[in-house]
Amino acid sequence: MEVKIFTKSLKPKLNFWMKPIGNLDGGLEAEINLWLASKPDIEIKNITQTQSGGSWMPATLVVTVWYQ
């Protein structure tokens, strides 16, 4: 079994009303999809996602993909 870890610090740009503008995942979804497309023969066993930070610090998102 192998593990691939993706991390991204999320610092959304906010409009005048403090609402996020644009893509909220910071391009993480595209990065994961590109990696999956480059590995067509793997079998995904498990995927986990965690997020830390938020109120005073930018949120950090971690996605872990377990595969064979």
Side-chain angles (χ1 to χ4, degrees):
M1 181 120 16
E2 296 184 55
V3 178
K4 176 68 175 173
I5 300 171
F6 299 91
T7 62
K8 187 68 72 170
S9 182
L10 305 178
K11 300 176 200 170
K13 293 183 179 182
L14 305 175
N15 66 15
F16 179 76
W17 293 278
M18 301 304 286
K19 299 281 185 181
I21 299 171
N23 192 352
L24 296 179
D25 74 350
L28 189 59
E29 181 179 5
E31 182 181 342
I32 293 169
N33 284 334
L34 183 63
W35 179 79
L36 288 170
S38 72
K39 307 264 186 213
D41 298 332
I42 65 172
E43 180 181 347
I44 304 295
K45 296 296 186 178
N46 191 28
I47 299 174
T48 60
Q49 177 264 321
T50 60
Q51 182 173 328
S52 63
S55 296
W56 300 104
M57 300 292 292
T60 300
L61 184 63
V62 178
V63 177
T64 307
V65 180
W66 299 76
Y67 65 96
Q68 282 185 324

